[in-house]
Structures are given as structure tokens and as C-alpha cells.
Amino acid sequence: MAHTHLISADELKALQASGAPLMVFDCSAELGNPAKADEMFAARRIVGAVQAHLERDLSAHDPAHAINGGRHPLPTREHFAAWLTAMGFNNAMQAVVYDRNGANYCGRLWWMLKWMGHDAVAVLDGGLQAWEAAGGAVESGPAPAPAAPGNFVLKTPLRRLVQTDEVVQGLGRDTQTLIDARGAPRFRGDTEPLDPIAGHIPGALNRPFTDNLGADGRFKPREQLKAEFDALLAGRDAAGVVHHCGSGVSAVPNVLAMELAGYAPAGLYAGSWSEWSRTPGLPAARG
């Protein structure tokens, strides 16, 4: 049975022991410090893990391969499929993604694989910390040599990408509910360390992505997540939800949490505030 949302450390151990086709991706990162990802990967990682670097692999800074704007543009599906193939991945594999950053970065790859049409991808609940606490094996040192190429074939997208024009068209309509995953000070516009304008998209609701985790670093129980999202939506139609954040990365824990709570998959505005705030003429709200 495929794991499609979360996988526990013990479940991953059992999967490894079973010999089932599997690839584990380390997505650890530090925003604004791309070199830190390489340092963390070399210092400690799950045995056999492949690195998925936020800037090099999960974003496309060459406009020829990007499909949206902002600080972390998504690569085209074809370009990313080629990277997966080069890493040795194929459609028969279970993917497990993790980080050591509260699921902030690994959710990006979880969503991207769904968007590629690959359903068998799960976030390691609790990340590297939970793995080590459960006695999972780790290794260190330089990245291993690339595996033999795989054969990843694109399938119909399983998640919905939303672009700026669609968000603009939905402003002020009850068919669209925007949920912003940034921390409250950035959402309110009290501070903006990364993007040119402070504030948020008018009408957006705020749910910091960290609200999805308990004190142990794992996702909260389904019933608690459901109650919290019900309270946030306050009767709004969940089918119209579009998640976003600063650059489309930390919004994904909210996407995942809503699905864990039992909602149908929601849209992701991957360009997020970093694209919105760089697009001339678009409104911004504060408070």
C-alpha cells in the first residue's frame, strides 16, 4: 500500500526492510543561505537519502525552465521530470521526503511529485529528529555518486497549480478563499525582510504553517486540524481555498494539513507574495 501523506519513522524502517522500491529525499534548507543545505546534508542524513536542494533542484531560476515568478519559481513539469530521472527515480517507487525544519521545505517536493502525477509520496512525520529518536540509521560525508538513471514518466497532475491571473480574478468573490502561511508579523505588514512590499493579498486569511505541528514536531491529529481549519474558514467553501506564503514553499504544510483533516486537495498559488508584490498594479493590504 502506497503512503500518500505521512509516514512514521517506524513505517519507513519497515519499508526499507521490505526491499520495496523506495527513494528518500533530504530537503533540509535554510532560507537565504543555500550553502547551508549542503552542509546539513553532509553532516547528517538518513542512510541512502538523496538531496533535493530547494534552490538548485526544486526551483528554476533560469526563466527558460520556470513557469511562474517570485523567489522560488517552479520548474516546468518536463524539466523536473528530467531531474527525477537523473536521480534514479521512476514511477514504481515510493518517495519519502523529509527535512529538519518542521516540514517547511520537504512539503515542496511532496506537492511537486503530486503535481507530476505521482501519488506515492509521503512526508516523514517529525522529520530527521523523529527518525533519530526512533533509532533510525544516519550517515555523513559527501553526497554519494548519482544512481543509475531512472525512467520517470509524467502523469496527469494530482494537485492544482494556481497562477497570479486566477488569484486576481477571484479577488472579492466567495468562490476563492486565500490562506497565507507566513507568520503573523509578515502577514500584517509589520515587517518584510524578503520582498519589496509589506502586507498581504487583500481578503487573505492567515494560518502560519507552524500551527500544523504539535510540540513534538509531528502533525497534529486529524480531529484537531479539522477543528482549526473549520474555525479559520468560518463557513467559507473549502473547495475555493488557495494556499500561498512568501514564495510558495511554506504554504505546502497547510495544503497537507487540510488533506490530513479530511478536506479535498486545495490549490497552491506557487508564486505567492513574492510574485504578487513584484507585479505592478496589484493591491496590498495591511493589518
Side-chain angles (χ1 to χ4, degrees):
M1 182 183 72
H3 297 269
T4 59
H5 289 83
L6 296 179
I7 187 170
S8 70
D10 286 341
E11 287 172 329
L12 177 53
K13 286 182 185 179
L15 196 61
Q16 289 176 326
S18 75
L22 168 70
M23 186 168 284
V24 179
F25 294 90
D26 187 317
C27 306
S28 303
E30 184 175 298
L31 201 61
N33 185 6
K36 187 66 175 179
D38 297 323
E39 294 172 10
M40 289 187 285
F41 184 75
R44 197 170 74 259
R45 60 183 179 267
I46 293 176
V47 170
V50 171
Q51 186 181 23
H53 195 287
L54 175 61
E55 303 291 346
R56 291 194 301 263
D57 307 321
L58 307 184
S59 303
H61 296 290
D62 179 351
H65 299 305
I67 63 170
N68 62 278
R71 286 182 280 107
H72 292 108
L74 281 171
T76 64
R77 295 202 326 139
E78 294 76 14
H79 187 71
F80 191 61
W83 179 80
L84 288 168
T85 292
M87 292 298 103
F89 193 71
N90 64 62
N91 301 79
M93 286 182 170
Q94 169 73 54
V96 173
V97 301
Y98 76 92
D99 59 36
R100 62 206 81 193
N101 313 98
N104 187 12
Y105 301 109
C106 66
R108 169 83 162 196
L109 181 51
W110 175 85
W111 186 90
M112 289 177 70
L113 282 166
K114 299 285 189 182
W115 178 57
M116 304 293 282
H118 190 80
D119 201 32
V121 52
V123 169
L124 177 59
D125 201 14
L128 182 62
Q129 295 89 334
W131 177 256
E132 292 187 294
V138 296
E139 63 184 3
S140 61
N151 182 27
F152 184 80
V153 178
L154 283 170
K155 305 289 186 181
T156 302
L158 300 175
R159 295 297 181 275
R160 184 168 71 94
L161 172 64
V162 178
Q163 298 281 28
T164 297
D165 288 349
E166 184 178 343
V167 176
V168 171
Q169 292 169 9
L171 287 181
R173 300 183 179 181
D174 58 11
T175 54
Q176 175 177 270
T177 298
L178 300 169
I179 299 180
D180 190 325
R182 293 176 298 163
R186 287 186 68 198
F187 175 81
R188 292 192 302 263
D190 299 346
T191 183
E192 182 45 67
L194 299 169
D195 295 312
I197 300 171
H200 58 265
I201 302 173
L205 306 175
N206 186 213
R207 179 178 171 83
F209 78 94
T210 52
D211 287 356
N212 298 304
L213 305 181
D216 61 358
R218 293 174 172 84
F219 278 81
K220 294 175 179 177
R222 171 176 177 156
E223 296 76 14
Q224 186 175 355
L225 290 171
K226 180 69 163 58
E228 291 177 4
F229 276 103
D230 282 349
L232 178 67
L233 292 172
R236 298 173 179 84
D237 185 3
V241 167
V242 175
H243 291 282
H244 66 287
C245 54
S247 63
V249 177
S250 60
V252 180
N254 276 349
V255 177
L256 175 56
M258 276 196 75
E259 294 186 28
L260 293 174
Y263 294 98
L268 175 68
Y269 173 34
S272 289
W273 183 248
S274 63
E275 181 172 353
W276 186 272
S277 62
R278 287 170 170 80
T279 305
L282 294 184
R286 293 199 181 198

